Amino acid sequence: MPYKFLLLTTLLWTCCAQADGTAPTDRATVGKDTLARVTGSSGAKVVDSLQDIAPELGRWIVEFGYGEVVSRPQLDLRTRELATVAALTALGTAQLQLRAHINGALNVGCKPEEVVEVIMQMAVYAGFPASLNGIAQAKEVFAERGVKIHPEQ
Amino acid sequence: MPYKFLLLTTLLWTCCAQADGTAPTDRATVGKDTLARVTGSSGAKVVDSLQDIAPELGRWIVEFGYGEVVSRPQLDLRTRELATVAALTALGTAQLQLRAHINGALNVGCKPEEVVEVIMQMAVYAGFPASLNGIAQAKEVFAERGVKIHPEQ
Amino acid sequence: MPYKFLLLTTLLWTCCAQADGTAPTDRATVGKDTLARVTGSSGAKVVDSLQDIAPELGRWIVEFGYGEVVSRPQLDLRTRELATVAALTALGTAQLQLRAHINGALNVGCKPEEVVEVIMQMAVYAGFPASLNGIAQAKEVFAERGVKIHPEQ
Amino acid sequence: MPYKFLLLTTLLWTCCAQADGTAPTDRATVGKDTLARVTGSSGAKVVDSLQDIAPELGRWIVEFGYGEVVSRPQLDLRTRELATVAALTALGTAQLQLRAHINGALNVGCKPEEVVEVIMQMAVYAGFPASLNGIAQAKEVFAERGVKIHPEQ
Amino acid sequence: MPYKFLLLTTLLWTCCAQADGTAPTDRATVGKDTLARVTGSSGAKVVDSLQDIAPELGRWIVEFGYGEVVSRPQLDLRTRELATVAALTALGTAQLQLRAHINGALNVGCKPEEVVEVIMQMAVYAGFPASLNGIAQAKEVFAERGVKIHPEQ
Amino acid sequence: MPYKFLLLTTLLWTCCAQADGTAPTDRATVGKDTLARVTGSSGAKVVDSLQDIAPELGRWIVEFGYGEVVSRPQLDLRTRELATVAALTALGTAQLQLRAHINGALNVGCKPEEVVEVIMQMAVYAGFPASLNGIAQAKEVFAERGVKIHPEQ
């Protein structure tokens, strides 16, 4: 009777998955994959570091943040990461996460000059201190990665 | 002797313009042009409305904001506008300007779905209230412009 | 053969549901229920209003915000709503949502005096303007609901 | 024996008042006076409006905010109001209070050009949207008061 | 005549104290006591550290912050501290003070799981970076205090 | 023919300079001079540190920030620096820049007591954590400079 089981499994899974468009397993898998594409192994380390204090927060980052939001096909990862760098530079309250997403932007194929440009642009919308602090993060990330930048004036 | 004058004019202008790479006239012209591309006529109206109270602020927006920053060729206007929409959604303190840049994003060729996507993404980085308020602005802008959106779930 | 089908359904559902502890249907049901407990019908209206522009954002609010976070049993809804009122008062960038959660706090059983007290306390941590704007929202909510407050000095 | 009573009263009052440099009555009197100097009658109206919901918040504004902080002689009221206008413009979360302190700055003798200048300066430190929203408040305040400004370019 | 003096002292003190409900000495005593209950000895150390630069700021924290606001009986200290942890997590601009109030919450009897829960909840209202930075503070505080947490998923 | 050249140079320069009231060389010169007056040599070091990553951001700080905004004669540098200290204290997202402007305030002639006073005042408008963090910066700056403060209570 195994083929019936398989059939039913597939059938039920499909139903289940269609209940809201994404089954939990889906979200976790897509989330881990997207997290890895954006952050390499560093995102997973952050999630792991939450295990002994707030493991659900880590699960939400993977399944909701990366599995449901950032992985949506409506916008490419390069634009998403530049938008995130812009927002975190403007907010100025999340320097560690800004650093992670400067790395993320480079990981998904943004040129360092584009990352710098978005941070510079924030001087207009959030003031020079926000931009200066963002550039300081970029400078450290670029140094760590050995990235050479060719600023055009 | 007019030809000598022309020669000198050109020569001196070039020197002057090269002092920092952008002559004032340049910045004003480039700024006005970029402002018009991004905002249509509404940016110029904002600048005009400052004439009787803070005209220099208007000049800075044109010459510095659009003439020196936003017009730089290192990043295309579509990405710049999406980055600005992201930042203003996250900050949550500049709803009028967010609205202007939702319009700006559409003016420079972003799809409404991309604008919505960037605002939705901010739920992860700045919380749901920031995203909800951003979507409320987008909804009004789209209604004003008769924009139809085809959300994909 | 229906009983076998039922058996399998249950079995598979359990597997599926255990993948991450919450099946999608679960999250949606729990989320809708919690949203209704906190906001009455107004939260569902906000979610509905997103259908033609950003339906996923509405789904995330129900399934993630209320289905995964706010519904967790580790903290009672009264404390959660007071904490949210505190945070939104301090941020000062989400007056509509603050209003919704002042209503939410009352809906889950907080006394109006407690809501006012938390908003007043924010004067210490976020300054008097933040508190004053929070109280202005509370005043309107209380008037709408016909709530009488007995401030003790 | 009334004169002895008076003597003792005075004596004790002085002791009491010196316990921390300011007796409660002192603080209230100094606070009301300073509030009136800065806001005319509008500050008192705000305090009154709190009577039926959060009267202590109103008392704190008078006794702590104006009676203990703003009334200190270490800084003149003009500089204090310009500093407050700068901070509220930069924060961008308290437009009503910004408006009150634009009025306050004018009430204590700041020139409208100085108020505008401080708001414009915030473009550098908090971005153009913050400045633009501040100028919009100033424009309305100046119109209400019939203030003519002579911007120098 | 000493007994008359005592009588008068008591009488006058009462009058004085009733002028606004709290005499300065009252506020200082209540404030110091509440500060100690919430922060142990660390709050007093912060106040002491202000003596040579801004002693009044320290006095305001004791007399206004803790003596007038936090000590009010309308809300228990546990709820107050959780509300403060929520607000400081959401603001993201006061990590030292967030840390002090994570300690404060534990000092007044909150369970570490409740503190973590409130910080996690802020992901919904202020975004994941705010929550992650809050959890990082909690992790360090718990390690310093040897607090074991039993996260339930 | 050199005198004719000089004549023409002057003539053309004047035209060019009048295009928007400030020639680029002007802005750079005025900006560098104002930056030096406010920050001593530390501002120039910040600008230099941007050369290999975002040199234009450095140029904007000099030419726009200091050459066009901060150097305007409508407000004296002392008031400007106190306003900036107020704003950066209130924002709480730019501690390095706050420190630079605490130094800047002292450099342009503000008394340390005035700097402290403005930071203390922010407790009313942005909450005690903002003030406490501002005072911590001031304390370190004063220690570095050997500044003695005489707080009056």
mmCIF file of all heavy atoms in Angstrom, chain A residues 46 49-57 60-61 64 88 93-94 96-97, chain E residues 91-93 116 120 123 128-129 131-133 135 138-139 142 149 151 153:
data_model
loop_
_atom_site.group_PDB
_atom_site.id
_atom_site.type_symbol
_atom_site.label_atom_id
_atom_site.label_comp_id
_atom_site.label_asym_id
_atom_site.label_seq_id
_atom_site.Cartn_x
_atom_site.Cartn_y
_atom_site.Cartn_z
ATOM 1 N N VAL A 46 24.584 33.799 14.378
ATOM 2 C CA VAL A 46 23.713 34.646 15.208
ATOM 3 C C VAL A 46 22.516 33.827 15.700
ATOM 4 O O VAL A 46 22.172 33.856 16.883
ATOM 5 C CB VAL A 46 23.229 35.892 14.418
ATOM 6 C CG1 VAL A 46 22.140 36.642 15.177
ATOM 7 C CG2 VAL A 46 24.401 36.820 14.111
ATOM 8 N N SER A 49 23.525 31.490 18.388
ATOM 9 C CA SER A 49 23.847 32.154 19.661
ATOM 10 C C SER A 49 22.592 32.467 20.464
ATOM 11 O O SER A 49 22.667 32.787 21.652
ATOM 12 C CB SER A 49 24.616 33.444 19.393
ATOM 13 O OG SER A 49 23.734 34.445 18.915
ATOM 14 N N LEU A 50 21.429 32.373 19.809
ATOM 15 C CA LEU A 50 20.169 32.634 20.519
ATOM 16 C C LEU A 50 19.601 31.372 21.173
ATOM 17 O O LEU A 50 18.646 31.448 21.941
ATOM 18 C CB LEU A 50 19.131 33.211 19.546
ATOM 19 C CG LEU A 50 19.467 34.571 18.934
ATOM 20 C CD1 LEU A 50 18.537 34.879 17.769
ATOM 21 C CD2 LEU A 50 19.371 35.673 19.995
ATOM 22 N N GLN A 51 20.179 30.205 20.845
ATOM 23 C CA GLN A 51 19.595 28.934 21.301
ATOM 24 C C GLN A 51 19.376 28.847 22.804
ATOM 25 O O GLN A 51 18.379 28.316 23.258
ATOM 26 C CB GLN A 51 20.456 27.744 20.838
ATOM 27 C CG GLN A 51 20.292 27.413 19.366
ATOM 28 C CD GLN A 51 18.826 27.358 18.927
ATOM 29 O OE1 GLN A 51 18.026 26.655 19.523
ATOM 30 N NE2 GLN A 51 18.461 28.128 17.908
ATOM 31 N N ASP A 52 20.313 29.370 23.585
ATOM 32 C CA ASP A 52 20.178 29.195 25.034
ATOM 33 C C ASP A 52 19.456 30.350 25.715
ATOM 34 O O ASP A 52 19.363 30.391 26.937
ATOM 35 C CB ASP A 52 21.554 28.970 25.671
ATOM 36 C CG ASP A 52 22.490 30.127 25.362
ATOM 37 O OD1 ASP A 52 22.107 31.013 24.576
ATOM 38 O OD2 ASP A 52 23.604 30.150 25.911
ATOM 39 N N ILE A 53 18.957 31.301 24.957
ATOM 40 C CA ILE A 53 18.247 32.412 25.598
ATOM 41 C C ILE A 53 16.910 32.740 24.918
ATOM 42 O O ILE A 53 15.920 32.948 25.615
ATOM 43 C CB ILE A 53 19.142 33.681 25.704
ATOM 44 C CG1 ILE A 53 18.417 34.790 26.470
ATOM 45 C CG2 ILE A 53 19.599 34.168 24.342
ATOM 46 C CD1 ILE A 53 19.317 35.870 27.010
ATOM 47 N N ALA A 54 16.894 32.768 23.596
ATOM 48 C CA ALA A 54 15.663 33.126 22.890
ATOM 49 C C ALA A 54 15.606 32.388 21.558
ATOM 50 O O ALA A 54 15.632 33.009 20.495
ATOM 51 C CB ALA A 54 15.613 34.635 22.675
ATOM 52 N N PRO A 55 15.513 31.049 21.614
ATOM 53 C CA PRO A 55 15.598 30.271 20.364
ATOM 54 C C PRO A 55 14.497 30.618 19.360
ATOM 55 O O PRO A 55 14.737 30.582 18.152
ATOM 56 C CB PRO A 55 15.482 28.818 20.841
ATOM 57 C CG PRO A 55 14.928 28.874 22.227
ATOM 58 C CD PRO A 55 15.373 30.173 22.792
ATOM 59 N N GLU A 56 13.330 30.984 19.862
ATOM 60 C CA GLU A 56 12.245 31.345 18.945
ATOM 61 C C GLU A 56 12.595 32.581 18.115
ATOM 62 O O GLU A 56 12.203 32.677 16.959
ATOM 63 C CB GLU A 56 10.956 31.642 19.725
ATOM 64 C CG GLU A 56 10.311 30.444 20.335
ATOM 65 C CD GLU A 56 9.688 29.545 19.291
ATOM 66 O OE1 GLU A 56 8.526 29.785 18.924
ATOM 67 O OE2 GLU A 56 10.371 28.586 18.858
ATOM 68 N N LEU A 57 13.308 33.518 18.721
ATOM 69 C CA LEU A 57 13.721 34.709 17.974
ATOM 70 C C LEU A 57 14.576 34.296 16.784
ATOM 71 O O LEU A 57 14.424 34.819 15.672
ATOM 72 C CB LEU A 57 14.491 35.670 18.895
ATOM 73 C CG LEU A 57 14.913 37.004 18.282
ATOM 74 C CD1 LEU A 57 13.718 37.832 17.851
ATOM 75 C CD2 LEU A 57 15.765 37.820 19.273
ATOM 76 N N TRP A 60 12.316 32.779 14.172
ATOM 77 C CA TRP A 60 11.570 33.820 13.444
ATOM 78 C C TRP A 60 12.444 34.481 12.380
ATOM 79 O O TRP A 60 11.960 34.827 11.303
ATOM 80 C CB TRP A 60 11.045 34.888 14.412
ATOM 81 C CG TRP A 60 10.075 34.384 15.422
ATOM 82 C CD1 TRP A 60 9.306 33.262 15.347
ATOM 83 C CD2 TRP A 60 9.748 34.995 16.678
ATOM 84 N NE1 TRP A 60 8.539 33.129 16.473
ATOM 85 C CE2 TRP A 60 8.784 34.183 17.310
ATOM 86 C CE3 TRP A 60 10.184 36.147 17.347
ATOM 87 C CZ2 TRP A 60 8.244 34.485 18.568
ATOM 88 C CZ3 TRP A 60 9.650 36.452 18.593
ATOM 89 C CH2 TRP A 60 8.691 35.627 19.192
ATOM 90 N N ILE A 61 13.697 34.728 12.727
ATOM 91 C CA ILE A 61 14.608 35.352 11.748
ATOM 92 C C ILE A 61 14.726 34.464 10.515
ATOM 93 O O ILE A 61 14.625 34.946 9.379
ATOM 94 C CB ILE A 61 15.996 35.604 12.401
ATOM 95 C CG1 ILE A 61 15.881 36.726 13.429
ATOM 96 C CG2 ILE A 61 17.055 35.928 11.342
ATOM 97 C CD1 ILE A 61 17.101 36.907 14.303
ATOM 98 N N PHE A 64 10.526 33.565 9.306
ATOM 99 C CA PHE A 64 9.762 34.741 8.901
ATOM 100 C C PHE A 64 10.652 35.705 8.086
ATOM 101 O O PHE A 64 10.389 35.982 6.924
ATOM 102 C CB PHE A 64 9.144 35.445 10.108
ATOM 103 C CG PHE A 64 8.564 36.779 9.762
ATOM 104 C CD1 PHE A 64 7.464 36.867 8.926
ATOM 105 C CD2 PHE A 64 9.137 37.959 10.235
ATOM 106 C CE1 PHE A 64 6.935 38.108 8.558
ATOM 107 C CE2 PHE A 64 8.623 39.195 9.875
ATOM 108 C CZ PHE A 64 7.516 39.272 9.037
ATOM 109 N N LEU A 88 19.183 50.891 7.726
ATOM 110 C CA LEU A 88 19.952 50.764 8.971
ATOM 111 C C LEU A 88 20.927 51.928 9.150
ATOM 112 O O LEU A 88 21.166 52.374 10.274
ATOM 113 C CB LEU A 88 20.686 49.420 9.011
ATOM 114 C CG LEU A 88 19.773 48.189 9.036
ATOM 115 C CD1 LEU A 88 20.607 46.898 9.082
ATOM 116 C CD2 LEU A 88 18.805 48.206 10.222
ATOM 117 N N THR A 93 20.660 52.962 14.847
ATOM 118 C CA THR A 93 20.543 52.270 16.131
ATOM 119 C C THR A 93 20.966 50.812 16.054
ATOM 120 O O THR A 93 20.811 50.084 17.029
ATOM 121 C CB THR A 93 19.076 52.303 16.602
ATOM 122 O OG1 THR A 93 18.248 51.878 15.522
ATOM 123 C CG2 THR A 93 18.681 53.687 17.042
ATOM 124 N N ALA A 94 21.485 50.384 14.931
ATOM 125 C CA ALA A 94 21.770 48.957 14.760
ATOM 126 C C ALA A 94 23.050 48.765 13.961
ATOM 127 O O ALA A 94 23.042 48.230 12.861
ATOM 128 C CB ALA A 94 20.581 48.278 14.070
ATOM 129 N N LEU A 96 25.693 46.823 14.436
ATOM 130 C CA LEU A 96 26.095 45.435 14.173
ATOM 131 C C LEU A 96 25.335 44.874 12.983
ATOM 132 O O LEU A 96 25.887 44.159 12.148
ATOM 133 C CB LEU A 96 25.791 44.546 15.383
ATOM 134 C CG LEU A 96 26.868 44.368 16.446
ATOM 135 C CD1 LEU A 96 26.371 43.413 17.508
ATOM 136 C CD2 LEU A 96 28.168 43.851 15.829
ATOM 137 N N GLN A 97 24.048 45.165 12.939
ATOM 138 C CA GLN A 97 23.220 44.648 11.851
ATOM 139 C C GLN A 97 23.541 45.377 10.542
ATOM 140 O O GLN A 97 23.482 44.785 9.477
ATOM 141 C CB GLN A 97 21.736 44.774 12.204
ATOM 142 C CG GLN A 97 21.268 43.817 13.299
ATOM 143 C CD GLN A 97 21.661 44.266 14.697
ATOM 144 O OE1 GLN A 97 21.949 45.446 14.918
ATOM 145 N NE2 GLN A 97 21.682 43.356 15.656
ATOM 146 N N LEU E 91 13.633 51.775 21.406
ATOM 147 C CA LEU E 91 14.377 52.981 21.038
ATOM 148 C C LEU E 91 15.757 52.631 20.483
ATOM 149 O O LEU E 91 16.211 53.214 19.505
ATOM 150 C CB LEU E 91 14.538 53.909 22.244
ATOM 151 C CG LEU E 91 13.290 54.665 22.683
ATOM 152 C CD1 LEU E 91 13.556 55.402 23.987
ATOM 153 C CD2 LEU E 91 12.853 55.666 21.607
ATOM 154 N N GLY E 92 16.437 51.701 21.151
ATOM 155 C CA GLY E 92 17.739 51.263 20.640
ATOM 156 C C GLY E 92 18.859 52.267 20.818
ATOM 157 O O GLY E 92 19.959 52.076 20.324
ATOM 158 N N THR E 93 18.604 53.365 21.525
ATOM 159 C CA THR E 93 19.616 54.407 21.680
ATOM 160 C C THR E 93 20.199 54.467 23.088
ATOM 161 O O THR E 93 20.960 55.374 23.386
ATOM 162 C CB THR E 93 19.005 55.787 21.375
ATOM 163 O OG1 THR E 93 17.789 55.898 22.126
ATOM 164 C CG2 THR E 93 18.721 55.948 19.911
ATOM 165 N N VAL E 116 13.027 38.334 28.698
ATOM 166 C CA VAL E 116 13.345 37.895 27.334
ATOM 167 C C VAL E 116 12.118 38.026 26.432
ATOM 168 O O VAL E 116 12.212 38.483 25.289
ATOM 169 C CB VAL E 116 13.857 36.434 27.354
ATOM 170 C CG1 VAL E 116 13.843 35.825 25.960
ATOM 171 C CG2 VAL E 116 15.259 36.388 27.950
ATOM 172 N N MET E 120 11.771 40.043 22.971
ATOM 173 C CA MET E 120 11.414 39.358 21.724
ATOM 174 C C MET E 120 10.204 40.011 21.058
ATOM 175 O O MET E 120 10.142 40.144 19.842
ATOM 176 C CB MET E 120 11.075 37.888 22.016
ATOM 177 C CG MET E 120 12.287 37.030 22.306
ATOM 178 S SD MET E 120 11.803 35.403 22.997
ATOM 179 C CE MET E 120 11.085 34.619 21.548
ATOM 180 N N ALA E 123 10.452 42.759 18.400
ATOM 181 C CA ALA E 123 10.702 42.469 16.974
ATOM 182 C C ALA E 123 9.502 42.884 16.123
ATOM 183 O O ALA E 123 9.658 43.372 15.003
ATOM 184 C CB ALA E 123 11.007 40.989 16.780
ATOM 185 N N PHE E 128 13.624 43.449 14.025
ATOM 186 C CA PHE E 128 14.525 42.439 14.579
ATOM 187 C C PHE E 128 15.844 43.000 15.111
ATOM 188 O O PHE E 128 16.309 42.531 16.157
ATOM 189 C CB PHE E 128 14.777 41.335 13.544
ATOM 190 C CG PHE E 128 13.650 40.358 13.475
ATOM 191 C CD1 PHE E 128 12.576 40.560 12.620
ATOM 192 C CD2 PHE E 128 13.619 39.238 14.307
ATOM 193 C CE1 PHE E 128 11.509 39.674 12.576
ATOM 194 C CE2 PHE E 128 12.559 38.348 14.263
ATOM 195 C CZ PHE E 128 11.501 38.565 13.397
ATOM 196 N N PRO E 129 16.458 43.995 14.440
ATOM 197 C CA PRO E 129 17.714 44.495 15.015
ATOM 198 C C PRO E 129 17.530 45.002 16.452
ATOM 199 O O PRO E 129 18.358 44.714 17.319
ATOM 200 C CB PRO E 129 18.110 45.630 14.063
ATOM 201 C CG PRO E 129 17.505 45.239 12.748
ATOM 202 C CD PRO E 129 16.188 44.607 13.115
ATOM 203 N N SER E 131 15.388 43.956 18.679
ATOM 204 C CA SER E 131 15.267 42.782 19.544
ATOM 205 C C SER E 131 16.597 42.079 19.749
ATOM 206 O O SER E 131 16.932 41.674 20.860
ATOM 207 C CB SER E 131 14.287 41.768 18.930
ATOM 208 O OG SER E 131 13.005 41.922 19.472
ATOM 209 N N LEU E 132 17.335 41.915 18.658
ATOM 210 C CA LEU E 132 18.621 41.218 18.753
ATOM 211 C C LEU E 132 19.575 41.961 19.684
ATOM 212 O O LEU E 132 20.269 41.345 20.496
ATOM 213 C CB LEU E 132 19.253 41.087 17.363
ATOM 214 C CG LEU E 132 18.698 39.963 16.498
ATOM 215 C CD1 LEU E 132 19.197 40.099 15.063
ATOM 216 C CD2 LEU E 132 19.120 38.599 17.075
ATOM 217 N N ASN E 133 19.617 43.296 19.573
ATOM 218 C CA ASN E 133 20.496 44.057 20.455
ATOM 219 C C ASN E 133 20.023 43.992 21.899
ATOM 220 O O ASN E 133 20.835 43.960 22.824
ATOM 221 C CB ASN E 133 20.593 45.510 19.973
ATOM 222 C CG ASN E 133 21.349 45.608 18.661
ATOM 223 O OD1 ASN E 133 22.250 44.812 18.392
ATOM 224 N ND2 ASN E 133 20.983 46.566 17.815
ATOM 225 N N ILE E 135 18.406 41.397 23.249
ATOM 226 C CA ILE E 135 18.748 40.057 23.743
ATOM 227 C C ILE E 135 20.240 39.960 24.078
ATOM 228 O O ILE E 135 20.619 39.319 25.073
ATOM 229 C CB ILE E 135 18.361 38.977 22.698
ATOM 230 C CG1 ILE E 135 16.828 38.834 22.624
ATOM 231 C CG2 ILE E 135 19.000 37.630 23.018
ATOM 232 C CD1 ILE E 135 16.165 38.269 23.878
ATOM 233 N N ALA E 138 20.583 41.287 27.454
ATOM 234 C CA ALA E 138 20.038 40.342 28.440
ATOM 235 C C ALA E 138 20.996 39.186 28.667
ATOM 236 O O ALA E 138 21.209 38.747 29.806
ATOM 237 C CB ALA E 138 18.678 39.824 27.969
ATOM 238 N N LYS E 139 21.592 38.703 27.582
ATOM 239 C CA LYS E 139 22.514 37.565 27.682
ATOM 240 C C LYS E 139 23.683 37.911 28.605
ATOM 241 O O LYS E 139 24.063 37.099 29.461
ATOM 242 C CB LYS E 139 23.020 37.203 26.281
ATOM 243 C CG LYS E 139 23.545 35.806 26.190
ATOM 244 C CD LYS E 139 23.733 35.365 24.743
ATOM 245 C CE LYS E 139 24.234 33.933 24.716
ATOM 246 N NZ LYS E 139 24.285 33.400 23.347
ATOM 247 N N PHE E 142 22.399 38.230 32.249
ATOM 248 C CA PHE E 142 22.120 36.908 32.840
ATOM 249 C C PHE E 142 23.435 36.198 33.179
ATOM 250 O O PHE E 142 23.550 35.551 34.225
ATOM 251 C CB PHE E 142 21.294 36.045 31.883
ATOM 252 C CG PHE E 142 19.890 36.554 31.653
ATOM 253 C CD1 PHE E 142 19.045 35.921 30.742
ATOM 254 C CD2 PHE E 142 19.385 37.653 32.338
ATOM 255 C CE1 PHE E 142 17.746 36.374 30.520
ATOM 256 C CE2 PHE E 142 18.090 38.125 32.120
ATOM 257 C CZ PHE E 142 17.272 37.475 31.204
ATOM 258 N N ILE E 149 18.176 30.448 32.232
ATOM 259 C CA ILE E 149 16.879 30.651 31.607
ATOM 260 C C ILE E 149 16.441 29.346 30.960
ATOM 261 O O ILE E 149 17.264 28.570 30.492
ATOM 262 C CB ILE E 149 16.932 31.798 30.571
ATOM 263 C CG1 ILE E 149 15.542 32.124 30.074
ATOM 264 C CG2 ILE E 149 17.866 31.493 29.424
ATOM 265 C CD1 ILE E 149 15.419 33.459 29.396
ATOM 266 N N PRO E 151 14.193 28.596 28.150
ATOM 267 C CA PRO E 151 13.292 29.016 27.075
ATOM 268 C C PRO E 151 12.353 27.895 26.667
ATOM 269 O O PRO E 151 12.782 26.764 26.459
ATOM 270 C CB PRO E 151 14.246 29.379 25.937
ATOM 271 C CG PRO E 151 15.550 28.746 26.249
ATOM 272 C CD PRO E 151 15.583 28.523 27.714
ATOM 273 N N GLN E 153 9.805 26.656 23.803
ATOM 274 C CA GLN E 153 9.541 26.966 22.398
ATOM 275 C C GLN E 153 8.074 26.821 22.061
ATOM 276 O O GLN E 153 7.357 26.083 22.724
ATOM 277 C CB GLN E 153 10.386 26.075 21.507
ATOM 278 C CG GLN E 153 11.819 26.634 21.404
ATOM 279 C CD GLN E 153 12.683 25.780 20.523
ATOM 280 O OE1 GLN E 153 13.008 24.677 20.934
ATOM 281 N NE2 GLN E 153 13.051 26.271 19.365
#
